[in-house]
Amino acid sequence: MLTKWYPNREDPQFGVFIQKHVRVIGRHNRISVLYIHSTTKISSTFEIEEKENSGIHEVIVYFRRQSTTLGKIINLFRFLIALNKGILRLKVKNPRPEIIHSYILLRTGIVAWFLSRRRKIPFVISEQWSGYLTGNFLKSSLIRQYLSRKLVKKASAVSSVSKFLFNRMQDCGLKNSNFHIIPNIIEIPPDRKNSESPFVRVLVVADLVDEIKNISGLIRMISELPEDLHFQLKIIGHGKDEATLKKLASSFNLLNTKIFFEGLKTNEGVYQYLLDSDFLVMNSLYETFSLICAEAMSCGKPVLATRCGGPNEFITAETGILTEPGNKSELKKNFLFMLANHRSFNPVIIREYVQNLFSQSKVSQDFQRFYESIVKK
């Protein structure tokens, strides 16, 4: 597997949903994963991390990113060198792969196609990029659009995490006759009671990229609520808009009074926050799936989410509330309802429902069917 996103030492949450897919794929297959990461935080030009566990072989190659005038050219050459170093490591542990799996276009797909042609083995593609939803794909260069469509057509199979994303990819002209819907995976943590708190504990977990996650819309809505409401909103994550969002919360006197930025957490840390929360809010404008909604439900927590794509397919009246993206008055009404009524949702029903949809065993079977459809050809 060649993946564009993957957990690394700078961001343990980056592409964690892909790592979870890798782990269930590794139940029935021997899998090697290669991820290339550019960084300014290494002293040498290249560093390689390699580990193997239970049939899963992971290689992460870090290269030092340049920000000089010729940085783009230098970074491209360093990426190619890092790629070659990583592929050589993969060959040692897995010299005769049967399938090459590209996870998130475009660069990984080009490499997968090249290796497929060279080694005469099939390649497949999995997608989770929100750019097909936001319009960013159709705003990208014509060369990128052409290559993406060509690669998807040439792949032996393609998967996406939701039917919504599949439909948007079709609308963008990315078509393949062997298309599979394989959702993200959730883990079911041991059930436990919330610790005591005088506040209703509301949780947000998101990359702080406001044009997609619309955290600012949530902050502005909260600024209009009565001051005597006893709740605390904790926000986990980081991103390019973190400072701007903190400044916005501070301008309403909400920072560290009603709204708390908790920073980046590991996946295990996120689950601890979920287990101690009363409900989750997800106010995105676009989501291909929304793993955090499913993870909150796996902890028995109801979800207040937008009808932004992926969540539409699995959030029901028994597990949460869906609201229109960007509609502040509807968000406010539903937020107030959840503050008052979050205990009316049955945590046992929520957990059992989401376990049936996104369990590791189910997704493992989905991937086996995905791969076997290629091997049979």
Side-chain angles (χ1 to χ4, degrees), residues 186-217:
I186 52 95
E187 294 144 358
I188 305 296
D191 193 14
R192 67 172 172 83
K193 290 185 179 180
N194 286 13
S195 57
E196 294 297 322
S197 173
F199 302 98
V200 178
R201 289 166 293 190
V202 188
L203 188 64
V204 170
V205 183
D207 294 326
L208 302 185
V209 180
D210 204 46
E211 64 263 28
I212 295 177
K213 304 300 182 178
N214 195 22
I215 307 296
S216 63

Side-chain angles (χ1 to χ4, degrees), residues 43 47 94 101 115 142 154 158 205 225 252 275 288 303 308 311 318 320 324 357:
S43 54
E47 287 186 16
N94 200 352
H101 192 154
L115 292 174
L142 293 177
K154 285 184 171 293
V158 178
V205 183
L225 297 178
F252 293 120
L275 289 165
T288 59
V303 174
C308 58
E318 288 186 316
E324 285 303 310
L357 286 179

Side-chain angles (χ1 to χ4, degrees), residues 22-23 25-33 51-58 94:
V22 166
R23 287 171 180 168
I25 291 168
R27 287 182 170 190
H28 305 291
N29 310 277
R30 202 151 51 88
I31 179 169
S32 293
V33 184
K51 56 186 176 181
E52 185 165 5
N53 185 32
S54 302
I56 298 168
H57 175 221
E58 294 178 331
N94 200 352

Side-chain angles (χ1 to χ4, degrees), residues 131-158:
Y132 306 109
L133 283 56
T134 63
N136 284 343
F137 174 77
L138 295 176
K139 293 175 186 174
S140 64
S141 70
L142 293 177
I143 293 175
R144 178 184 179 127
Q145 292 183 46
Y146 170 78
L147 288 174
S148 297
R149 293 178 182 125
K150 197 77 173 175
L151 288 167
V152 167
K153 184 177 180 180
K154 285 184 171 293
S156 295
V158 178

